[in-house]
Amino acid sequence: MRVKETLHIDGRWTSAADGASREIIDPADGGVLAVVAEAAAADADAAVAAARAAFDQGPWPRTPVAERAALLRRTAELLQRDREELALLESRDTGKTLDEGRIDVDDVTAAFRYFADLAAGEPAERVVDAGGDGVHSTVVHEPVGVCALITPWNYPLLQASWKIAPALAAGNTFVVKPSEVTPLSTVALLDLLVEAGLPAGVGNLLTGAGLPAGARLAEHPGVDLVSFTGGLSSGVKVMRAAAPGVKKVALELGGKNPNVVFADACATDEGFDTAVDQALNAAFVHSGQVCSAGSRLIVEESVRTRFVTELARRADLIRLGRGTSRGAECGPLVSAAQLARTEEYVASALAEGAALRCGGVRPAPTPDLPAGGYFYRPTVLDHCHRGMRVIREEIFGPVLTVETFTTEDEAVALANDTEYGLAGAVFTADPERGRRVAARLRHGTVWINDYHPYLPQAEWGGFGKSGIGRELGPAGLAEYRESKHVYENLRPQPVRWFAGGRADGRPEERPHARPDGDTPAKNEEQHGE
């Protein structure tokens, strides 16, 4: 299979400088899906140089915001034009179902449109009241500069859009590096941006591993901001690498997300059905490979047996298959490494006393489940507790743990007993309880009687070790801006702070001059008299 020229540097598609390449594996059968260029540190240097020149010398940062927004809107139209092709590419690369791929493309489209509208609709400056008419004071927003955007393997197209759209809307240039495992849809997105009119050097792309390309971006003196989405340990390395340059850093590092179910949510047949269905949705969408997956079910003790029994029964019926296969509800895990990681976590939980209610095995091979694929049955582990690794650590696989509580305070304590704080949910028939518990949960997103929906106009990010900064919403655009205060004195006059400025050379008391020319009364304590 021919190596694709998947590096985009200074407006040109190219191979790696040293000719290195990487095979992209189809997770459904273990075969080779594509061969891409493998960027090295020299390629990262070239990409940053192109982005630096485009920012420092090119017109993009000074391009009117309406024109930048228009490019984002054209990109959104192209995304919808190529919706099926992109969804298929994302499905084959990540293993997710084709329907999930379509939803991703629609969400990416919405993100580009949202940031186009947000940036274009904002006033150019904010006038600050300086306390008098002798000063004109404003705050303006300027782009940060060159942005290194490092994205994860589970939602490569979506996560790229959450970074690229606001970065461009704010007037930045960028270098994006998708995960080496799933880079194909990001390559396609850059191609659409170029078709939409992205100037040379403004957007650059590196395919390849975190070492050395990603690490070089994080430490590079020519980079002004690093936005990283991925695992905690990698995020810590990114932060360390960026620290000597005092770069702006935004990190989204996953979560260990609680889904709290109160007994009153299950008081009716409809309520019970909804809560069980949502628990499945929370845990097993994209085979659990979601940073906000509701992998910790915390259910009230009085309904535990009935709830877990029905949950396990339904989980055992989930249809596995290629993401592109009709009727498939869950695809494979993304890689052999992720499959082995999931198996190891389940084994550790069983050794620590968890009870296996369903799953816990690879499925038997079938025509739609090739032996070389990375499939794993949705798994429910009951009788779990805080001491277990599966409760403390993010698995990123189709594994749901079960804990129980008897009081509201205990439920909240369990839900907050985590180093992470990305997302969580509460299911209850009592609206007051729902809002009360949501207010007490230390998580960046909290759903009440729902799980997983997000809005591009609402901020996304977490507390604790789930990261720093926010994506989406107005704060998501602010991440890519610097605020500048411009203070203009409309009535300049000598300050006379130094005695040499007086005609007679004598010192005088120096009252603080206000913008309107008034002076405050002498403060003896302030002047030490």
Side-chain angles (χ1 to χ4, degrees):
M1 188 176 291
R2 187 176 67 85
V3 178
K4 293 185 177 180
E5 294 182 333
T6 53
L7 308 188
H8 189 75
I9 300 175
D10 202 16
R12 295 179 295 106
W13 290 102
T14 183
S15 55
D18 61 4
S21 63
R22 170 182 291 269
E23 293 181 341
I24 304 303
I25 303 302
D26 185 338
D29 59 19
V32 177
L33 188 59
V35 181
V36 301
E38 177 80 357
D43 300 299
D45 289 343
V48 172
R52 188 81 261 167
F55 185 82
D56 293 339
Q57 303 159 23
W60 182 252
R62 290 158 291 282
T63 298
V65 66
E67 294 183 26
R68 298 200 300 264
L71 183 140
L72 266 61
R73 293 192 183 101
R74 289 195 296 273
T75 303
E77 294 301 316
L78 294 173
L79 284 161
Q80 284 302 293
R81 182 197 69 186
D82 295 349
R83 180 175 184 258
E84 287 301 308
E85 179 183 338
L86 290 166
L88 178 61
L89 187 63
E90 194 78 328
S91 174
R92 295 187 67 192
D93 203 9
T94 67
K96 66 180 60 177
T97 67
L98 191 54
D99 283 342
E100 289 179 84
R102 294 185 181 108
I103 292 171
D104 284 358
V105 178
D106 291 343
D107 287 349
V108 169
T109 303
F112 271 89
R113 287 173 176 162
Y114 169 73
F115 283 112
D117 292 345
L118 179 64
E122 288 186 332
E125 61 184 26
R126 174 169 58 90
V127 177
V128 178
D129 183 0
D133 58 6
V135 167
H136 180 63
S137 180
T138 60
V139 173
V140 298
H141 299 294
E142 297 185 357
V144 172
V146 175
C147 303
L149 313 176
I150 304 174
T151 62
W153 49 258
N154 59 332
Y155 284 89
L157 186 62
L158 185 68
Q159 292 294 325
S161 75
W162 286 14
K163 301 177 190 300
I164 290 173
L168 289 177
N172 299 281
T173 61
F174 70 85
V175 181
V176 61
K177 196 206 81 65
S179 165
E180 65 271 26
V181 180
T182 56
L184 301 182
S185 61
T186 308
V187 174
L189 177 59
L190 257 291
D191 212 17
L192 294 184
L193 283 163
V194 171
E195 184 179 348
L198 187 71
V202 171
N204 304 272
L205 165 67
L206 300 173
T207 52
L211 284 173
R216 179 57 178 156
L217 290 178
E219 70 182 11
H220 201 293
V223 168
D224 301 297
L225 174 149
V226 182
S227 178
F228 171 85
T229 300
L232 175 59
S233 61
S234 296
V236 170
K237 292 175 184 177
V238 167
M239 204 169 186
R240 286 199 186 107
V246 198
K247 298 175 175 60
K248 290 189 70 173
V249 176
L251 304 173
E252 201 262 75
L253 305 178
K256 194 65 183 174
N257 311 292
N259 180 21
V260 179
V261 179
F262 284 90
D264 63 7
C266 305
T268 66
D269 289 343
E270 181 180 3
F272 177 77
D273 176 63
T274 298
V276 171
D277 180 74
Q278 287 280 9
L280 292 167
N281 172 58
F284 299 128
V285 164
H286 193 17
S287 294
Q289 299 172 118
V290 184
C291 58
S292 57
S295 59
R296 291 180 65 202
L297 173 64
I298 302 174
V299 62
E300 192 162 354
E301 180 65 43
S302 62
V303 295
R304 172 228 196 98
T305 300
R306 180 187 177 209
F307 197 96
V308 174
T309 299
E310 179 62 10
L311 180 74
R313 185 188 71 81
R314 295 193 199 181
D316 219 22
L317 297 175
I318 291 175
R319 297 189 297 271
L320 302 185
R322 289 179 180 271
T324 55
S325 297
R326 184 183 299 274
E329 296 174 322
C330 273
L333 294 173
V334 74
S335 65
Q338 199 61 25
L339 175 59
R341 172 186 171 92
T342 301
E343 289 179 315
E344 196 277 327
Y345 269 108
V346 171
S348 74
L350 296 177
E352 292 171 338
L356 181 66
R357 296 305 183 204
C358 71
V361 295
R362 302 186 190 190
T366 69
D368 198 42
L369 297 174
Y374 310 131
F375 295 95
Y376 196 76
R377 287 297 316 169
T379 300
V380 176
L381 296 170
D382 199 1
H383 296 293
C384 295
H385 57 78
R386 184 68 178 92
M388 295 177 173
R389 287 181 60 210
V390 288
I391 295 294
R392 300 192 311 271
E393 300 175 14
E394 187 176 42
I395 301 172
F396 246 57
V399 179
L400 176 62
T401 61
V402 181
E403 303 162 81
T404 60
F405 66 92
T406 57
T407 68
E408 182 177 312
D409 285 345
E410 186 182 3
V412 171
L414 282 171
N416 285 335
D417 189 8
T418 173
E419 293 182 327
Y420 294 97
L422 184 60
V426 53
F427 282 80
T428 176
D430 182 347
E432 290 186 9
R433 170 184 275 166
R435 290 187 285 270
R436 185 171 63 241
V437 172
R440 297 175 66 189
L441 294 183
R442 296 284 294 168
H443 300 273
T445 293
V446 178
W447 296 284
I448 301 175
N449 296 329
D450 209 332
Y451 210 101
H452 277 319
Y454 75 93
L455 303 172
Q457 59 269 34
E459 280 75 0
W460 179 267
F463 296 3
K465 291 186 178 180
S466 283
I468 56 176
R470 290 294 184 267
E471 296 188 288
L472 303 178
L477 181 60
E479 291 284 355
Y480 294 90
R481 286 173 161 175
E482 297 282 15
S483 296
K484 177 186 285 186
H485 179 203
V486 180
Y487 181 104
E488 181 182 3
N489 189 340
L490 301 176
R491 300 172 185 170
Q493 56 185 327
V495 177
R496 303 300 187 198
W497 186 262
F498 300 104
R502 288 175 50 81
D504 58 8
R506 295 175 57 194
E508 63 176 283
E509 184 176 323
R510 306 171 181 89
H512 171 66
R514 287 180 173 170
D516 58 5
D518 293 338
T519 59
K522 181 173 69 174
N523 184 316
E524 294 184 0
E525 181 179 350
Q526 178 180 336
H527 292 281
E529 296 176 1

mmCIF file of all heavy atoms in Angstrom, residues 79-108:
data_model
loop_
_atom_site.group_PDB
_atom_site.id
_atom_site.type_symbol
_atom_site.label_atom_id
_atom_site.label_comp_id
_atom_site.label_asym_id
_atom_site.label_seq_id
_atom_site.Cartn_x
_atom_site.Cartn_y
_atom_site.Cartn_z
ATOM 1 N N LEU A 79 -18.202 19.927 4.953
ATOM 2 C CA LEU A 79 -18.372 18.773 5.844
ATOM 3 C C LEU A 79 -19.696 18.064 5.568
ATOM 4 O O LEU A 79 -19.758 16.829 5.537
ATOM 5 C CB LEU A 79 -18.320 19.233 7.300
ATOM 6 C CG LEU A 79 -16.935 19.556 7.859
ATOM 7 C CD1 LEU A 79 -17.052 20.427 9.106
ATOM 8 C CD2 LEU A 79 -16.178 18.261 8.190
ATOM 9 N N GLN A 80 -20.740 18.826 5.364
ATOM 10 C CA GLN A 80 -22.038 18.211 5.072
ATOM 11 C C GLN A 80 -22.069 17.607 3.675
ATOM 12 O O GLN A 80 -22.695 16.568 3.455
ATOM 13 C CB GLN A 80 -23.152 19.242 5.248
ATOM 14 C CG GLN A 80 -23.485 19.527 6.698
ATOM 15 C CD GLN A 80 -23.908 18.279 7.457
ATOM 16 O OE1 GLN A 80 -24.962 17.690 7.188
ATOM 17 N NE2 GLN A 80 -23.086 17.847 8.418
ATOM 18 N N ARG A 81 -21.374 18.237 2.748
ATOM 19 C CA ARG A 81 -21.293 17.670 1.392
ATOM 20 C C ARG A 81 -20.648 16.281 1.430
ATOM 21 O O ARG A 81 -21.102 15.354 0.733
ATOM 22 C CB ARG A 81 -20.460 18.595 0.508
ATOM 23 C CG ARG A 81 -20.332 18.132 -0.946
ATOM 24 C CD ARG A 81 -19.182 18.840 -1.650
ATOM 25 N NE ARG A 81 -17.881 18.425 -1.141
ATOM 26 C CZ ARG A 81 -16.707 18.974 -1.504
ATOM 27 N NH1 ARG A 81 -16.710 19.986 -2.371
ATOM 28 N NH2 ARG A 81 -15.574 18.531 -1.003
ATOM 29 N N ASP A 82 -19.609 16.125 2.251
ATOM 30 C CA ASP A 82 -18.858 14.870 2.317
ATOM 31 C C ASP A 82 -19.242 14.036 3.542
ATOM 32 O O ASP A 82 -18.459 13.207 4.003
ATOM 33 C CB ASP A 82 -17.359 15.163 2.358
ATOM 34 C CG ASP A 82 -16.857 15.808 1.075
ATOM 35 O OD1 ASP A 82 -17.627 15.833 0.084
ATOM 36 O OD2 ASP A 82 -15.712 16.287 1.066
ATOM 37 N N ARG A 83 -20.437 14.241 4.059
ATOM 38 C CA ARG A 83 -20.844 13.615 5.314
ATOM 39 C C ARG A 83 -20.684 12.101 5.300
ATOM 40 O O ARG A 83 -20.118 11.507 6.221
ATOM 41 C CB ARG A 83 -22.299 13.991 5.606
ATOM 42 C CG ARG A 83 -22.881 13.411 6.903
ATOM 43 C CD ARG A 83 -24.278 13.955 7.119
ATOM 44 N NE ARG A 83 -24.875 13.517 8.380
ATOM 45 C CZ ARG A 83 -25.781 12.564 8.506
ATOM 46 N NH1 ARG A 83 -26.199 11.896 7.416
ATOM 47 N NH2 ARG A 83 -26.280 12.255 9.690
ATOM 48 N N GLU A 84 -21.183 11.430 4.293
ATOM 49 C CA GLU A 84 -21.133 9.965 4.262
ATOM 50 C C GLU A 84 -19.705 9.457 4.143
ATOM 51 O O GLU A 84 -19.318 8.485 4.809
ATOM 52 C CB GLU A 84 -21.987 9.437 3.114
ATOM 53 C CG GLU A 84 -23.478 9.542 3.353
ATOM 54 C CD GLU A 84 -23.903 8.768 4.599
ATOM 55 O OE1 GLU A 84 -23.557 7.569 4.712
ATOM 56 O OE2 GLU A 84 -24.568 9.361 5.470
ATOM 57 N N GLU A 85 -18.925 10.113 3.319
ATOM 58 C CA GLU A 85 -17.533 9.700 3.138
ATOM 59 C C GLU A 85 -16.745 9.855 4.438
ATOM 60 O O GLU A 85 -15.970 8.980 4.831
ATOM 61 C CB GLU A 85 -16.897 10.537 2.030
ATOM 62 C CG GLU A 85 -15.435 10.224 1.766
ATOM 63 C CD GLU A 85 -14.833 11.128 0.709
ATOM 64 O OE1 GLU A 85 -15.597 11.697 -0.097
ATOM 65 O OE2 GLU A 85 -13.597 11.265 0.691
ATOM 66 N N LEU A 86 -16.951 10.970 5.119
ATOM 67 C CA LEU A 86 -16.241 11.215 6.375
ATOM 68 C C LEU A 86 -16.698 10.255 7.474
ATOM 69 O O LEU A 86 -15.887 9.773 8.263
ATOM 70 C CB LEU A 86 -16.449 12.662 6.821
ATOM 71 C CG LEU A 86 -15.758 13.724 5.971
ATOM 72 C CD1 LEU A 86 -16.305 15.106 6.307
ATOM 73 C CD2 LEU A 86 -14.246 13.683 6.184
ATOM 74 N N ALA A 87 -18.001 10.004 7.544
ATOM 75 C CA ALA A 87 -18.527 9.080 8.547
ATOM 76 C C ALA A 87 -17.954 7.679 8.346
ATOM 77 O O ALA A 87 -17.601 6.986 9.313
ATOM 78 C CB ALA A 87 -20.048 9.051 8.487
ATOM 79 N N LEU A 88 -17.875 7.248 7.082
ATOM 80 C CA LEU A 88 -17.307 5.939 6.777
ATOM 81 C C LEU A 88 -15.833 5.879 7.169
ATOM 82 O O LEU A 88 -15.366 4.890 7.758
ATOM 83 C CB LEU A 88 -17.473 5.637 5.291
ATOM 84 C CG LEU A 88 -16.876 4.320 4.787
ATOM 85 C CD1 LEU A 88 -17.527 3.141 5.498
ATOM 86 C CD2 LEU A 88 -17.043 4.208 3.276
ATOM 87 N N LEU A 89 -15.096 6.939 6.868
ATOM 88 C CA LEU A 89 -13.675 6.990 7.208
ATOM 89 C C LEU A 89 -13.475 6.927 8.720
ATOM 90 O O LEU A 89 -12.622 6.171 9.219
ATOM 91 C CB LEU A 89 -13.069 8.281 6.655
ATOM 92 C CG LEU A 89 -11.554 8.438 6.759
ATOM 93 C CD1 LEU A 89 -10.843 7.376 5.941
ATOM 94 C CD2 LEU A 89 -11.138 9.838 6.303
ATOM 95 N N GLU A 90 -14.292 7.679 9.457
ATOM 96 C CA GLU A 90 -14.178 7.676 10.919
ATOM 97 C C GLU A 90 -14.570 6.321 11.496
ATOM 98 O O GLU A 90 -13.954 5.837 12.451
ATOM 99 C CB GLU A 90 -15.063 8.797 11.491
ATOM 100 C CG GLU A 90 -14.788 9.127 12.933
ATOM 101 C CD GLU A 90 -13.546 9.974 13.124
ATOM 102 O OE1 GLU A 90 -12.572 9.843 12.336
ATOM 103 O OE2 GLU A 90 -13.513 10.766 14.072
ATOM 104 N N SER A 91 -15.580 5.696 10.921
ATOM 105 C CA SER A 91 -16.003 4.387 11.389
ATOM 106 C C SER A 91 -14.914 3.344 11.192
ATOM 107 O O SER A 91 -14.597 2.567 12.099
ATOM 108 C CB SER A 91 -17.283 3.958 10.661
ATOM 109 O OG SER A 91 -17.647 2.636 10.994
ATOM 110 N N ARG A 92 -14.324 3.319 10.027
ATOM 111 C CA ARG A 92 -13.297 2.322 9.735
ATOM 112 C C ARG A 92 -12.036 2.558 10.551
ATOM 113 O O ARG A 92 -11.376 1.611 10.979
ATOM 114 C CB ARG A 92 -12.962 2.336 8.242
ATOM 115 C CG ARG A 92 -14.111 1.914 7.342
ATOM 116 C CD ARG A 92 -13.652 1.787 5.906
ATOM 117 N NE ARG A 92 -12.702 0.685 5.742
ATOM 118 C CZ ARG A 92 -11.968 0.485 4.658
ATOM 119 N NH1 ARG A 92 -12.061 1.331 3.628
ATOM 120 N NH2 ARG A 92 -11.146 -0.536 4.578
ATOM 121 N N ASP A 93 -11.699 3.825 10.792
ATOM 122 C CA ASP A 93 -10.455 4.149 11.491
ATOM 123 C C ASP A 93 -10.562 3.903 12.993
ATOM 124 O O ASP A 93 -9.638 3.390 13.619
ATOM 125 C CB ASP A 93 -10.091 5.605 11.228
ATOM 126 C CG ASP A 93 -8.607 5.885 11.417
ATOM 127 O OD1 ASP A 93 -7.836 4.926 11.591
ATOM 128 O OD2 ASP A 93 -8.218 7.066 11.381
ATOM 129 N N THR A 94 -11.701 4.255 13.591
ATOM 130 C CA THR A 94 -11.846 4.151 15.044
ATOM 131 C C THR A 94 -12.591 2.897 15.487
ATOM 132 O O THR A 94 -12.524 2.523 16.657
ATOM 133 C CB THR A 94 -12.606 5.360 15.605
ATOM 134 O OG1 THR A 94 -13.961 5.327 15.137
ATOM 135 C CG2 THR A 94 -11.947 6.674 15.196
ATOM 136 N N GLY A 95 -13.376 2.287 14.594
ATOM 137 C CA GLY A 95 -14.181 1.128 14.946
ATOM 138 C C GLY A 95 -15.601 1.464 15.353
ATOM 139 O O GLY A 95 -16.429 0.565 15.495
ATOM 140 N N LYS A 96 -15.913 2.741 15.536
ATOM 141 C CA LYS A 96 -17.264 3.115 15.952
ATOM 142 C C LYS A 96 -18.261 2.830 14.843
ATOM 143 O O LYS A 96 -17.889 2.658 13.664
ATOM 144 C CB LYS A 96 -17.324 4.586 16.347
ATOM 145 C CG LYS A 96 -17.091 5.568 15.212
ATOM 146 C CD LYS A 96 -17.165 7.012 15.699
ATOM 147 C CE LYS A 96 -16.141 7.313 16.755
ATOM 148 N NZ LYS A 96 -16.165 8.734 17.184
ATOM 149 N N THR A 97 -19.537 2.767 15.184
ATOM 150 C CA THR A 97 -20.548 2.462 14.185
ATOM 151 C C THR A 97 -20.695 3.608 13.197
ATOM 152 O O THR A 97 -20.355 4.761 13.488
ATOM 153 C CB THR A 97 -21.911 2.195 14.845
ATOM 154 O OG1 THR A 97 -22.392 3.418 15.439
ATOM 155 C CG2 THR A 97 -21.815 1.101 15.886
ATOM 156 N N LEU A 98 -21.241 3.280 12.040
ATOM 157 C CA LEU A 98 -21.425 4.287 10.998
ATOM 158 C C LEU A 98 -22.394 5.380 11.459
ATOM 159 O O LEU A 98 -22.201 6.557 11.157
ATOM 160 C CB LEU A 98 -21.943 3.611 9.726
ATOM 161 C CG LEU A 98 -21.967 4.442 8.436
ATOM 162 C CD1 LEU A 98 -20.591 5.045 8.146
ATOM 163 C CD2 LEU A 98 -22.424 3.581 7.267
ATOM 164 N N ASP A 99 -23.410 4.995 12.217
ATOM 165 C CA ASP A 99 -24.335 6.004 12.746
ATOM 166 C C ASP A 99 -23.617 6.970 13.683
ATOM 167 O O ASP A 99 -23.874 8.183 13.661
ATOM 168 C CB ASP A 99 -25.493 5.335 13.487
ATOM 169 C CG ASP A 99 -26.539 4.755 12.547
ATOM 170 O OD1 ASP A 99 -26.555 5.166 11.365
ATOM 171 O OD2 ASP A 99 -27.334 3.911 12.985
ATOM 172 N N GLU A 100 -22.718 6.445 14.515
ATOM 173 C CA GLU A 100 -21.931 7.329 15.385
ATOM 174 C C GLU A 100 -21.047 8.249 14.553
ATOM 175 O O GLU A 100 -20.872 9.435 14.888
ATOM 176 C CB GLU A 100 -21.071 6.499 16.331
ATOM 177 C CG GLU A 100 -21.834 5.779 17.417
ATOM 178 C CD GLU A 100 -20.905 4.954 18.294
ATOM 179 O OE1 GLU A 100 -20.321 5.531 19.228
ATOM 180 O OE2 GLU A 100 -20.757 3.744 18.037
ATOM 181 N N GLY A 101 -20.493 7.727 13.473
ATOM 182 C CA GLY A 101 -19.675 8.555 12.593
ATOM 183 C C GLY A 101 -20.470 9.698 11.981
ATOM 184 O O GLY A 101 -19.981 10.828 11.878
ATOM 185 N N ARG A 102 -21.702 9.417 11.580
ATOM 186 C CA ARG A 102 -22.557 10.470 11.021
ATOM 187 C C ARG A 102 -22.855 11.546 12.066
ATOM 188 O O ARG A 102 -22.846 12.751 11.758
ATOM 189 C CB ARG A 102 -23.861 9.866 10.496
ATOM 190 C CG ARG A 102 -23.702 8.941 9.291
ATOM 191 C CD ARG A 102 -25.053 8.494 8.763
ATOM 192 N NE ARG A 102 -24.919 7.591 7.632
ATOM 193 C CZ ARG A 102 -25.174 6.282 7.681
ATOM 194 N NH1 ARG A 102 -25.578 5.719 8.828
ATOM 195 N NH2 ARG A 102 -25.020 5.532 6.610
ATOM 196 N N ILE A 103 -23.142 11.099 13.284
ATOM 197 C CA ILE A 103 -23.398 12.062 14.357
ATOM 198 C C ILE A 103 -22.166 12.936 14.585
ATOM 199 O O ILE A 103 -22.276 14.156 14.786
ATOM 200 C CB ILE A 103 -23.799 11.325 15.647
ATOM 201 C CG1 ILE A 103 -25.176 10.669 15.466
ATOM 202 C CG2 ILE A 103 -23.815 12.271 16.842
ATOM 203 C CD1 ILE A 103 -25.552 9.736 16.606
ATOM 204 N N ASP A 104 -20.982 12.321 14.543
ATOM 205 C CA ASP A 104 -19.746 13.085 14.726
ATOM 206 C C ASP A 104 -19.608 14.170 13.662
ATOM 207 O O ASP A 104 -19.250 15.316 13.964
ATOM 208 C CB ASP A 104 -18.531 12.161 14.677
ATOM 209 C CG ASP A 104 -18.342 11.359 15.954
ATOM 210 O OD1 ASP A 104 -19.146 11.550 16.891
ATOM 211 O OD2 ASP A 104 -17.408 10.544 16.001
ATOM 212 N N VAL A 105 -19.854 13.822 12.409
ATOM 213 C CA VAL A 105 -19.730 14.816 11.343
ATOM 214 C C VAL A 105 -20.716 15.956 11.551
ATOM 215 O O VAL A 105 -20.380 17.139 11.360
ATOM 216 C CB VAL A 105 -19.930 14.168 9.960
ATOM 217 C CG1 VAL A 105 -19.854 15.231 8.852
ATOM 218 C CG2 VAL A 105 -18.883 13.091 9.697
ATOM 219 N N ASP A 106 -21.928 15.635 11.960
ATOM 220 C CA ASP A 106 -22.915 16.682 12.224
ATOM 221 C C ASP A 106 -22.483 17.564 13.387
ATOM 222 O O ASP A 106 -22.674 18.788 13.361
ATOM 223 C CB ASP A 106 -24.288 16.062 12.511
ATOM 224 C CG ASP A 106 -24.903 15.406 11.287
ATOM 225 O OD1 ASP A 106 -24.451 15.689 10.163
ATOM 226 O OD2 ASP A 106 -25.830 14.585 11.465
ATOM 227 N N ASP A 107 -21.908 16.962 14.418
ATOM 228 C CA ASP A 107 -21.433 17.745 15.556
ATOM 229 C C ASP A 107 -20.246 18.625 15.187
ATOM 230 O O ASP A 107 -20.113 19.750 15.678
ATOM 231 C CB ASP A 107 -21.053 16.812 16.709
ATOM 232 C CG ASP A 107 -22.268 16.207 17.402
ATOM 233 O OD1 ASP A 107 -23.390 16.661 17.135
ATOM 234 O OD2 ASP A 107 -22.085 15.268 18.205
ATOM 235 N N VAL A 108 -19.377 18.122 14.334
ATOM 236 C CA VAL A 108 -18.253 18.918 13.843
ATOM 237 C C VAL A 108 -18.769 20.115 13.047
ATOM 238 O O VAL A 108 -18.296 21.247 13.196
ATOM 239 C CB VAL A 108 -17.311 18.046 12.992
ATOM 240 C CG1 VAL A 108 -16.293 18.910 12.253
ATOM 241 C CG2 VAL A 108 -16.603 17.023 13.865
#
